[in-house]
PDB file of all heavy atoms in Angstrom:
ATOM      1  N   GLY A 406      62.389 -76.135 -39.385  1.00  0.00           N
ATOM      2  CA  GLY A 406      62.551 -76.799 -38.084  1.00  0.00           C
ATOM      3  C   GLY A 406      63.500 -77.989 -38.234  1.00  0.00           C
ATOM      4  O   GLY A 406      63.272 -78.872 -39.053  1.00  0.00           O
ATOM      5  N   GLY A 407      64.568 -77.982 -37.438  1.00  0.00           N
ATOM      6  CA  GLY A 407      65.621 -78.972 -37.632  1.00  0.00           C
ATOM      7  C   GLY A 407      65.462 -80.264 -36.846  1.00  0.00           C
ATOM      8  O   GLY A 407      66.376 -81.102 -36.861  1.00  0.00           O
ATOM      9  N   SER A 408      64.329 -80.490 -36.192  1.00  0.00           N
ATOM     10  CA  SER A 408      64.229 -81.730 -35.380  1.00  0.00           C
ATOM     11  C   SER A 408      64.365 -82.972 -36.256  1.00  0.00           C
ATOM     12  O   SER A 408      64.926 -83.987 -35.840  1.00  0.00           O
ATOM     13  CB  SER A 408      62.918 -81.770 -34.586  1.00  0.00           C
ATOM     14  OG  SER A 408      61.813 -81.741 -35.451  1.00  0.00           O
ATOM     15  N   SER A 409      63.859 -82.866 -37.498  1.00  0.00           N
ATOM     16  CA  SER A 409      63.931 -84.037 -38.390  1.00  0.00           C
ATOM     17  C   SER A 409      65.373 -84.464 -38.658  1.00  0.00           C
ATOM     18  O   SER A 409      65.647 -85.630 -38.923  1.00  0.00           O
ATOM     19  CB  SER A 409      63.232 -83.736 -39.708  1.00  0.00           C
ATOM     20  OG  SER A 409      63.719 -82.515 -40.219  1.00  0.00           O
ATOM     21  N   PHE A 414      61.470 -88.185 -36.546  1.00  0.00           N
ATOM     22  CA  PHE A 414      60.293 -88.788 -37.170  1.00  0.00           C
ATOM     23  C   PHE A 414      60.624 -90.137 -37.803  1.00  0.00           C
ATOM     24  O   PHE A 414      59.854 -91.070 -37.722  1.00  0.00           O
ATOM     25  CB  PHE A 414      59.692 -87.832 -38.220  1.00  0.00           C
ATOM     26  CG  PHE A 414      59.031 -86.619 -37.605  1.00  0.00           C
ATOM     27  CD1 PHE A 414      59.724 -85.458 -37.399  1.00  0.00           C
ATOM     28  CD2 PHE A 414      57.694 -86.675 -37.187  1.00  0.00           C
ATOM     29  CE1 PHE A 414      59.119 -84.336 -36.834  1.00  0.00           C
ATOM     30  CE2 PHE A 414      57.079 -85.583 -36.603  1.00  0.00           C
ATOM     31  CZ  PHE A 414      57.789 -84.419 -36.421  1.00  0.00           C
ATOM     32  N   ASP A 438      65.574 -73.477 -36.798  1.00  0.00           N
ATOM     33  CA  ASP A 438      65.438 -73.761 -35.370  1.00  0.00           C
ATOM     34  C   ASP A 438      65.907 -75.190 -35.081  1.00  0.00           C
ATOM     35  O   ASP A 438      65.603 -76.118 -35.832  1.00  0.00           O
ATOM     36  CB  ASP A 438      63.953 -73.631 -34.976  1.00  0.00           C
ATOM     37  CG  ASP A 438      63.715 -74.024 -33.526  1.00  0.00           C
ATOM     38  OD1 ASP A 438      64.081 -73.252 -32.632  1.00  0.00           O
ATOM     39  OD2 ASP A 438      63.180 -75.130 -33.288  1.00  0.00           O
ATOM     40  N   VAL A 439      66.642 -75.356 -33.983  1.00  0.00           N
ATOM     41  CA  VAL A 439      67.120 -76.681 -33.620  1.00  0.00           C
ATOM     42  C   VAL A 439      67.204 -76.727 -32.095  1.00  0.00           C
ATOM     43  O   VAL A 439      66.815 -75.789 -31.407  1.00  0.00           O
ATOM     44  CB  VAL A 439      68.490 -76.951 -34.354  1.00  0.00           C
ATOM     45  CG1 VAL A 439      69.603 -76.093 -33.825  1.00  0.00           C
ATOM     46  CG2 VAL A 439      68.845 -78.424 -34.349  1.00  0.00           C
ATOM     47  N   TYR A 443      67.095 -82.568 -29.915  1.00  0.00           N
ATOM     48  CA  TYR A 443      66.681 -83.277 -31.126  1.00  0.00           C
ATOM     49  C   TYR A 443      67.733 -84.318 -31.542  1.00  0.00           C
ATOM     50  O   TYR A 443      68.842 -83.958 -31.943  1.00  0.00           O
ATOM     51  CB  TYR A 443      66.410 -82.302 -32.278  1.00  0.00           C
ATOM     52  CG  TYR A 443      65.324 -81.294 -31.964  1.00  0.00           C
ATOM     53  CD1 TYR A 443      65.318 -80.030 -32.509  1.00  0.00           C
ATOM     54  CD2 TYR A 443      64.270 -81.603 -31.092  1.00  0.00           C
ATOM     55  CE1 TYR A 443      64.335 -79.099 -32.212  1.00  0.00           C
ATOM     56  CE2 TYR A 443      63.275 -80.680 -30.780  1.00  0.00           C
ATOM     57  CZ  TYR A 443      63.341 -79.441 -31.346  1.00  0.00           C
ATOM     58  OH  TYR A 443      62.352 -78.519 -31.043  1.00  0.00           O
ATOM     59  N   LYS A 469      68.426 -74.031 -28.442  1.00  0.00           N
ATOM     60  CA  LYS A 469      67.760 -74.013 -27.143  1.00  0.00           C
ATOM     61  C   LYS A 469      68.691 -74.498 -26.034  1.00  0.00           C
ATOM     62  O   LYS A 469      69.737 -75.098 -26.295  1.00  0.00           O
ATOM     63  CB  LYS A 469      66.504 -74.877 -27.206  1.00  0.00           C
ATOM     64  CG  LYS A 469      65.627 -74.572 -28.439  1.00  0.00           C
ATOM     65  CD  LYS A 469      64.259 -75.141 -28.345  1.00  0.00           C
ATOM     66  CE  LYS A 469      63.458 -74.873 -29.606  1.00  0.00           C
ATOM     67  NZ  LYS A 469      63.692 -75.829 -30.689  1.00  0.00           N
ATOM     68  N   HIS A 507      64.041 -74.272 -23.444  1.00  0.00           N
ATOM     69  CA  HIS A 507      63.271 -75.304 -24.147  1.00  0.00           C
ATOM     70  C   HIS A 507      62.244 -76.009 -23.255  1.00  0.00           C
ATOM     71  O   HIS A 507      62.605 -76.652 -22.295  1.00  0.00           O
ATOM     72  CB  HIS A 507      64.247 -76.331 -24.720  1.00  0.00           C
ATOM     73  CG  HIS A 507      63.667 -77.230 -25.774  1.00  0.00           C
ATOM     74  ND1 HIS A 507      64.461 -78.103 -26.498  1.00  0.00           N
ATOM     75  CD2 HIS A 507      62.396 -77.375 -26.237  1.00  0.00           C
ATOM     76  CE1 HIS A 507      63.685 -78.768 -27.343  1.00  0.00           C
ATOM     77  NE2 HIS A 507      62.434 -78.347 -27.204  1.00  0.00           N
ATOM     78  N   ASP A 508      60.964 -75.888 -23.604  1.00  0.00           N
ATOM     79  CA  ASP A 508      59.877 -76.597 -22.907  1.00  0.00           C
ATOM     80  C   ASP A 508      59.896 -76.304 -21.410  1.00  0.00           C
ATOM     81  O   ASP A 508      59.981 -77.221 -20.575  1.00  0.00           O
ATOM     82  CB  ASP A 508      59.950 -78.100 -23.207  1.00  0.00           C
ATOM     83  CG  ASP A 508      59.616 -78.417 -24.661  1.00  0.00           C
ATOM     84  OD1 ASP A 508      59.030 -77.559 -25.344  1.00  0.00           O
ATOM     85  OD2 ASP A 508      59.946 -79.519 -25.127  1.00  0.00           O
ATOM     86  N   THR A 540      60.176 -71.466 -24.965  1.00  0.00           N
ATOM     87  CA  THR A 540      59.314 -72.340 -25.763  1.00  0.00           C
ATOM     88  C   THR A 540      58.522 -73.264 -24.845  1.00  0.00           C
ATOM     89  O   THR A 540      58.925 -73.545 -23.719  1.00  0.00           O
ATOM     90  CB  THR A 540      60.094 -73.226 -26.768  1.00  0.00           C
ATOM     91  OG1 THR A 540      60.512 -74.443 -26.109  1.00  0.00           O
ATOM     92  CG2 THR A 540      61.323 -72.541 -27.326  1.00  0.00           C
ATOM     93  N   GLY A 541      57.378 -73.748 -25.386  1.00  0.00           N
ATOM     94  CA  GLY A 541      56.603 -74.742 -24.648  1.00  0.00           C
ATOM     95  C   GLY A 541      55.209 -74.918 -25.221  1.00  0.00           C
ATOM     96  O   GLY A 541      54.819 -74.201 -26.153  1.00  0.00           O
ATOM     97  N   LEU A 560      58.228 -69.224 -28.627  1.00  0.00           N
ATOM     98  CA  LEU A 560      57.973 -70.278 -29.625  1.00  0.00           C
ATOM     99  C   LEU A 560      56.882 -71.172 -29.053  1.00  0.00           C
ATOM    100  O   LEU A 560      57.055 -71.824 -28.029  1.00  0.00           O
ATOM    101  CB  LEU A 560      59.244 -71.080 -29.908  1.00  0.00           C
ATOM    102  CG  LEU A 560      59.192 -72.115 -31.032  1.00  0.00           C
ATOM    103  CD1 LEU A 560      60.620 -72.512 -31.458  1.00  0.00           C
ATOM    104  CD2 LEU A 560      58.404 -73.367 -30.714  1.00  0.00           C
ATOM    105  N   TYR A 562      54.001 -74.260 -29.993  1.00  0.00           N
ATOM    106  CA  TYR A 562      53.834 -75.282 -31.024  1.00  0.00           C
ATOM    107  C   TYR A 562      52.486 -76.000 -30.860  1.00  0.00           C
ATOM    108  O   TYR A 562      51.938 -76.081 -29.758  1.00  0.00           O
ATOM    109  CB  TYR A 562      54.987 -76.280 -31.022  1.00  0.00           C
ATOM    110  CG  TYR A 562      55.044 -77.235 -29.846  1.00  0.00           C
ATOM    111  CD1 TYR A 562      54.552 -78.543 -29.944  1.00  0.00           C
ATOM    112  CD2 TYR A 562      55.604 -76.845 -28.642  1.00  0.00           C
ATOM    113  CE1 TYR A 562      54.620 -79.409 -28.877  1.00  0.00           C
ATOM    114  CE2 TYR A 562      55.669 -77.711 -27.571  1.00  0.00           C
ATOM    115  CZ  TYR A 562      55.173 -78.990 -27.695  1.00  0.00           C
ATOM    116  OH  TYR A 562      55.235 -79.853 -26.616  1.00  0.00           O
ATOM    117  N   ALA A 589      55.235 -73.210 -34.220  1.00  0.00           N
ATOM    118  CA  ALA A 589      55.806 -74.429 -34.799  1.00  0.00           C
ATOM    119  C   ALA A 589      54.728 -75.496 -34.954  1.00  0.00           C
ATOM    120  O   ALA A 589      53.663 -75.412 -34.343  1.00  0.00           O
ATOM    121  CB  ALA A 589      56.917 -74.963 -33.898  1.00  0.00           C
ATOM    122  N   SER A 590      55.048 -76.476 -35.756  1.00  0.00           N
ATOM    123  CA  SER A 590      54.180 -77.645 -35.965  1.00  0.00           C
ATOM    124  C   SER A 590      52.822 -77.325 -36.586  1.00  0.00           C
ATOM    125  O   SER A 590      51.782 -77.666 -36.042  1.00  0.00           O
ATOM    126  CB  SER A 590      53.985 -78.402 -34.652  1.00  0.00           C
ATOM    127  OG  SER A 590      55.223 -78.674 -34.041  1.00  0.00           O
ATOM    128  N   PRO A 591      52.813 -76.662 -37.745  1.00  0.00           N
ATOM    129  CA  PRO A 591      51.535 -76.377 -38.419  1.00  0.00           C
ATOM    130  C   PRO A 591      50.823 -77.647 -38.854  1.00  0.00           C
ATOM    131  O   PRO A 591      49.629 -77.617 -39.110  1.00  0.00           O
ATOM    132  CB  PRO A 591      51.954 -75.551 -39.629  1.00  0.00           C
ATOM    133  CG  PRO A 591      53.369 -75.966 -39.896  1.00  0.00           C
ATOM    134  CD  PRO A 591      53.977 -76.225 -38.562  1.00  0.00           C
ATOM    135  N   LEU A 592      51.579 -78.741 -38.940  1.00  0.00           N
ATOM    136  CA  LEU A 592      50.955 -80.034 -39.268  1.00  0.00           C
ATOM    137  C   LEU A 592      50.675 -80.819 -37.981  1.00  0.00           C
ATOM    138  O   LEU A 592      50.473 -82.042 -38.026  1.00  0.00           O
ATOM    139  CB  LEU A 592      51.852 -80.840 -40.225  1.00  0.00           C
ATOM    140  CG  LEU A 592      52.320 -80.062 -41.488  1.00  0.00           C
ATOM    141  CD1 LEU A 592      53.176 -80.950 -42.385  1.00  0.00           C
ATOM    142  CD2 LEU A 592      51.140 -79.500 -42.275  1.00  0.00           C
ATOM    143  N   SER A 593      50.666 -80.110 -36.861  1.00  0.00           N
ATOM    144  CA  SER A 593      50.391 -80.709 -35.552  1.00  0.00           C
ATOM    145  C   SER A 593      51.256 -81.951 -35.296  1.00  0.00           C
ATOM    146  O   SER A 593      50.767 -82.986 -34.862  1.00  0.00           O
ATOM    147  CB  SER A 593      48.897 -81.025 -35.410  1.00  0.00           C
ATOM    148  OG  SER A 593      48.139 -79.846 -35.444  1.00  0.00           O
ATOM    149  N   MET A 594      52.553 -81.806 -35.556  1.00  0.00           N
ATOM    150  CA  MET A 594      53.541 -82.876 -35.389  1.00  0.00           C
ATOM    151  C   MET A 594      53.131 -84.168 -36.092  1.00  0.00           C
ATOM    152  O   MET A 594      53.289 -85.256 -35.580  1.00  0.00           O
ATOM    153  CB  MET A 594      53.795 -83.153 -33.893  1.00  0.00           C
ATOM    154  CG  MET A 594      54.379 -81.951 -33.163  1.00  0.00           C
ATOM    155  SD  MET A 594      55.057 -82.304 -31.519  1.00  0.00           S
ATOM    156  CE  MET A 594      53.717 -83.088 -30.654  1.00  0.00           C
ATOM    157  N   GLY A 595      52.564 -83.990 -37.290  1.00  0.00           N
ATOM    158  CA  GLY A 595      52.245 -85.146 -38.125  1.00  0.00           C
ATOM    159  C   GLY A 595      50.778 -85.558 -38.097  1.00  0.00           C
ATOM    160  O   GLY A 595      50.345 -86.364 -38.919  1.00  0.00           O
ATOM    161  N   THR A 598      48.797 -84.989 -41.560  1.00  0.00           N
ATOM    162  CA  THR A 598      49.508 -85.505 -42.731  1.00  0.00           C
ATOM    163  C   THR A 598      48.805 -86.762 -43.200  1.00  0.00           C
ATOM    164  O   THR A 598      48.108 -87.416 -42.419  1.00  0.00           O
ATOM    165  CB  THR A 598      50.986 -85.869 -42.429  1.00  0.00           C
ATOM    166  OG1 THR A 598      51.004 -86.882 -41.395  1.00  0.00           O
ATOM    167  CG2 THR A 598      51.781 -84.678 -41.972  1.00  0.00           C
ATOM    168  N   ARG A 600      50.311 -89.428 -43.938  1.00  0.00           N
ATOM    169  CA  ARG A 600      50.982 -90.555 -43.269  1.00  0.00           C
ATOM    170  C   ARG A 600      50.458 -90.746 -41.841  1.00  0.00           C
ATOM    171  O   ARG A 600      50.531 -91.816 -41.276  1.00  0.00           O
ATOM    172  CB  ARG A 600      52.491 -90.290 -43.246  1.00  0.00           C
ATOM    173  CG  ARG A 600      53.284 -91.404 -42.652  1.00  0.00           C
ATOM    174  CD  ARG A 600      54.736 -91.386 -43.014  1.00  0.00           C
ATOM    175  NE  ARG A 600      55.405 -90.113 -42.780  1.00  0.00           N
ATOM    176  CZ  ARG A 600      56.717 -89.954 -42.862  1.00  0.00           C
ATOM    177  NH1 ARG A 600      57.482 -90.966 -43.186  1.00  0.00           N
ATOM    178  NH2 ARG A 600      57.266 -88.782 -42.671  1.00  0.00           N
ATOM    179  N   GLU A 631      48.237 -81.641 -45.961  1.00  0.00           N
ATOM    180  CA  GLU A 631      49.447 -80.855 -45.637  1.00  0.00           C
ATOM    181  C   GLU A 631      49.371 -79.478 -46.274  1.00  0.00           C
ATOM    182  O   GLU A 631      49.777 -78.484 -45.671  1.00  0.00           O
ATOM    183  CB  GLU A 631      50.715 -81.579 -46.134  1.00  0.00           C
ATOM    184  CG  GLU A 631      51.044 -82.861 -45.411  1.00  0.00           C
ATOM    185  CD  GLU A 631      50.405 -84.096 -46.039  1.00  0.00           C
ATOM    186  OE1 GLU A 631      49.424 -83.941 -46.816  1.00  0.00           O
ATOM    187  OE2 GLU A 631      50.873 -85.206 -45.769  1.00  0.00           O
ATOM    188  N   LEU A 648      57.357 -72.607 -38.233  1.00  0.00           N
ATOM    189  CA  LEU A 648      58.389 -73.631 -38.410  1.00  0.00           C
ATOM    190  C   LEU A 648      57.762 -74.939 -38.852  1.00  0.00           C
ATOM    191  O   LEU A 648      56.883 -75.487 -38.159  1.00  0.00           O
ATOM    192  CB  LEU A 648      59.075 -73.900 -37.072  1.00  0.00           C
ATOM    193  CG  LEU A 648      60.120 -72.901 -36.587  1.00  0.00           C
ATOM    194  CD1 LEU A 648      60.354 -73.086 -35.111  1.00  0.00           C
ATOM    195  CD2 LEU A 648      61.412 -73.076 -37.369  1.00  0.00           C
ATOM    196  N   VAL A 649      58.225 -75.461 -39.995  1.00  0.00           N
ATOM    197  CA  VAL A 649      57.797 -76.794 -40.387  1.00  0.00           C
ATOM    198  C   VAL A 649      59.028 -77.675 -40.540  1.00  0.00           C
ATOM    199  O   VAL A 649      60.077 -77.194 -40.977  1.00  0.00           O
ATOM    200  CB  VAL A 649      56.912 -76.764 -41.668  1.00  0.00           C
ATOM    201  CG1 VAL A 649      57.645 -76.200 -42.834  1.00  0.00           C
ATOM    202  CG2 VAL A 649      56.338 -78.123 -42.000  1.00  0.00           C
ATOM    203  N   GLY A 650      58.895 -78.896 -40.106  1.00  0.00           N
ATOM    204  CA  GLY A 650      60.035 -79.796 -40.174  1.00  0.00           C
ATOM    205  C   GLY A 650      59.851 -80.800 -41.275  1.00  0.00           C
ATOM    206  O   GLY A 650      58.753 -81.254 -41.528  1.00  0.00           O
ATOM    207  N   SER A 651      60.962 -81.105 -41.976  1.00  0.00           N
ATOM    208  CA  SER A 651      60.946 -82.216 -42.912  1.00  0.00           C
ATOM    209  C   SER A 651      62.391 -82.509 -43.286  1.00  0.00           C
ATOM    210  O   SER A 651      63.200 -81.585 -43.415  1.00  0.00           O
ATOM    211  CB  SER A 651      60.162 -81.880 -44.178  1.00  0.00           C
ATOM    212  OG  SER A 651      60.277 -82.957 -45.095  1.00  0.00           O
ATOM    213  N   ALA A 652      62.698 -83.775 -43.457  1.00  0.00           N
ATOM    214  CA  ALA A 652      64.038 -84.120 -43.935  1.00  0.00           C
ATOM    215  C   ALA A 652      63.985 -84.472 -45.407  1.00  0.00           C
ATOM    216  O   ALA A 652      64.949 -84.985 -45.972  1.00  0.00           O
ATOM    217  CB  ALA A 652      64.586 -85.279 -43.113  1.00  0.00           C
ATOM    218  N   ASN A 656      59.451 -82.422 -50.143  1.00  0.00           N
ATOM    219  CA  ASN A 656      58.384 -81.876 -49.304  1.00  0.00           C
ATOM    220  C   ASN A 656      58.619 -80.401 -49.007  1.00  0.00           C
ATOM    221  O   ASN A 656      57.692 -79.603 -48.986  1.00  0.00           O
ATOM    222  CB  ASN A 656      58.239 -82.651 -48.005  1.00  0.00           C
ATOM    223  CG  ASN A 656      57.440 -83.942 -48.183  1.00  0.00           C
ATOM    224  OD1 ASN A 656      56.796 -84.122 -49.238  1.00  0.00           O
ATOM    225  ND2 ASN A 656      57.481 -84.824 -47.212  1.00  0.00           N
ATOM    226  N   LYS A 659      57.583 -78.445 -51.962  1.00  0.00           N
ATOM    227  CA  LYS A 659      56.108 -78.365 -52.017  1.00  0.00           C
ATOM    228  C   LYS A 659      55.630 -77.317 -51.019  1.00  0.00           C
ATOM    229  O   LYS A 659      54.779 -76.490 -51.325  1.00  0.00           O
ATOM    230  CB  LYS A 659      55.485 -79.724 -51.625  1.00  0.00           C
ATOM    231  CG  LYS A 659      55.381 -80.715 -52.740  1.00  0.00           C
ATOM    232  CD  LYS A 659      54.399 -81.810 -52.301  1.00  0.00           C
ATOM    233  CE  LYS A 659      54.957 -83.163 -52.525  1.00  0.00           C
ATOM    234  NZ  LYS A 659      54.249 -84.232 -51.850  1.00  0.00           N
ATOM    235  N   ASN A 660      56.175 -77.383 -49.799  1.00  0.00           N
ATOM    236  CA  ASN A 660      55.730 -76.454 -48.750  1.00  0.00           C
ATOM    237  C   ASN A 660      55.947 -75.010 -49.163  1.00  0.00           C
ATOM    238  O   ASN A 660      55.088 -74.160 -48.975  1.00  0.00           O
ATOM    239  CB  ASN A 660      56.478 -76.737 -47.430  1.00  0.00           C
ATOM    240  CG  ASN A 660      56.134 -78.098 -46.844  1.00  0.00           C
ATOM    241  OD1 ASN A 660      55.187 -78.743 -47.279  1.00  0.00           O
ATOM    242  ND2 ASN A 660      56.900 -78.540 -45.886  1.00  0.00           N
ATOM    243  N   TRP A 663      53.462 -74.029 -51.876  1.00  0.00           N
ATOM    244  CA  TRP A 663      52.099 -73.852 -51.353  1.00  0.00           C
ATOM    245  C   TRP A 663      51.899 -72.474 -50.710  1.00  0.00           C
ATOM    246  O   TRP A 663      50.797 -71.951 -50.683  1.00  0.00           O
ATOM    247  CB  TRP A 663      51.761 -74.932 -50.308  1.00  0.00           C
ATOM    248  CG  TRP A 663      51.554 -76.285 -50.921  1.00  0.00           C
ATOM    249  CD1 TRP A 663      51.157 -76.563 -52.186  1.00  0.00           C
ATOM    250  CD2 TRP A 663      51.726 -77.557 -50.277  1.00  0.00           C
ATOM    251  NE1 TRP A 663      51.092 -77.915 -52.395  1.00  0.00           N
ATOM    252  CE2 TRP A 663      51.428 -78.552 -51.233  1.00  0.00           C
ATOM    253  CE3 TRP A 663      52.107 -77.953 -48.989  1.00  0.00           C
ATOM    254  CZ2 TRP A 663      51.491 -79.908 -50.940  1.00  0.00           C
ATOM    255  CZ3 TRP A 663      52.177 -79.304 -48.689  1.00  0.00           C
ATOM    256  CH2 TRP A 663      51.869 -80.273 -49.653  1.00  0.00           C
TER     257      TRP A 663
HETATM  258  P1  LIG B 710      55.086 -80.245 -38.313  1.00  0.00           P
HETATM  259  O1  LIG B 710      53.859 -80.163 -37.505  1.00  0.00           O
HETATM  260  O2  LIG B 710      55.129 -79.425 -39.494  1.00  0.00           O
HETATM  261  O3  LIG B 710      55.268 -81.792 -38.600  1.00  0.00           O
HETATM  262  C1  LIG B 710      56.357 -82.315 -39.255  1.00  0.00           C
HETATM  263  C2  LIG B 710      55.944 -83.642 -39.883  1.00  0.00           C
HETATM  264  O4  LIG B 710      55.291 -83.372 -41.098  1.00  0.00           O
HETATM  265  C3  LIG B 710      57.156 -84.472 -40.230  1.00  0.00           C
HETATM  266  O5  LIG B 710      56.813 -85.843 -40.111  1.00  0.00           O
HETATM  267  C4  LIG B 710      57.415 -84.113 -41.682  1.00  0.00           C
HETATM  268  O6  LIG B 710      58.106 -85.113 -42.370  1.00  0.00           O
HETATM  269  C5  LIG B 710      56.020 -83.959 -42.186  1.00  0.00           C
HETATM  270  N1  LIG B 710      55.909 -83.049 -43.342  1.00  0.00           N
HETATM  271  C6  LIG B 710      56.411 -81.799 -43.500  1.00  0.00           C
HETATM  272  N2  LIG B 710      56.103 -81.322 -44.728  1.00  0.00           N
HETATM  273  C7  LIG B 710      55.386 -82.286 -45.337  1.00  0.00           C
HETATM  274  C8  LIG B 710      54.787 -82.412 -46.637  1.00  0.00           C
HETATM  275  N3  LIG B 710      54.843 -81.436 -47.543  1.00  0.00           N
HETATM  276  N4  LIG B 710      54.142 -83.563 -46.910  1.00  0.00           N
HETATM  277  C9  LIG B 710      54.075 -84.568 -46.035  1.00  0.00           C
HETATM  278  N5  LIG B 710      54.625 -84.526 -44.794  1.00  0.00           N
HETATM  279  C10 LIG B 710      55.266 -83.393 -44.468  1.00  0.00           C
HETATM  280  O7  LIG B 710      56.335 -79.709 -37.564  1.00  0.00           O
HETATM  281  P2  LIG B 710      57.315 -80.284 -36.452  1.00  0.00           P
HETATM  282  O8  LIG B 710      58.384 -81.031 -37.137  1.00  0.00           O
HETATM  283  O9  LIG B 710      56.573 -80.865 -35.330  1.00  0.00           O
HETATM  284  O10 LIG B 710      57.856 -78.899 -35.937  1.00  0.00           O
HETATM  285  C11 LIG B 710      58.635 -78.082 -36.773  1.00  0.00           C
HETATM  286  C12 LIG B 710      59.816 -77.550 -36.001  1.00  0.00           C
HETATM  287  O11 LIG B 710      59.352 -76.688 -34.964  1.00  0.00           O
HETATM  288  C13 LIG B 710      60.669 -78.595 -35.285  1.00  0.00           C
HETATM  289  O12 LIG B 710      61.606 -79.160 -36.151  1.00  0.00           O
HETATM  290  C14 LIG B 710      61.317 -77.761 -34.211  1.00  0.00           C
HETATM  291  O13 LIG B 710      62.385 -77.036 -34.786  1.00  0.00           O
HETATM  292  C15 LIG B 710      60.196 -76.780 -33.842  1.00  0.00           C
HETATM  293  N6  LIG B 710      59.436 -77.250 -32.650  1.00  0.00           N
HETATM  294  C16 LIG B 710      59.821 -76.788 -31.450  1.00  0.00           C
HETATM  295  C17 LIG B 710      59.168 -77.210 -30.298  1.00  0.00           C
HETATM  296  C18 LIG B 710      59.606 -76.699 -28.965  1.00  0.00           C
HETATM  297  O14 LIG B 710      60.465 -75.860 -28.886  1.00  0.00           O
HETATM  298  N7  LIG B 710      59.056 -77.181 -27.888  1.00  0.00           N
HETATM  299  C19 LIG B 710      58.111 -78.126 -30.395  1.00  0.00           C
HETATM  300  C20 LIG B 710      57.715 -78.552 -31.639  1.00  0.00           C
HETATM  301  C21 LIG B 710      58.389 -78.100 -32.785  1.00  0.00           C
END
Side-chain angles (χ1 to χ4, degrees):
S408 61
S409 51
F414 289 92
D438 176 74
V439 69
Y443 300 150
K469 311 195 183 84
H507 196 172
D508 292 343
T540 88
L560 187 163
Y562 71 98
S590 309
L592 309 181
S593 296
M594 297 194 305
T598 59
R600 183 161 51 170
E631 292 90 342
L648 282 162
V649 61
S651 176
N656 279 347
K659 276 196 229 166
N660 294 347
W663 288 335

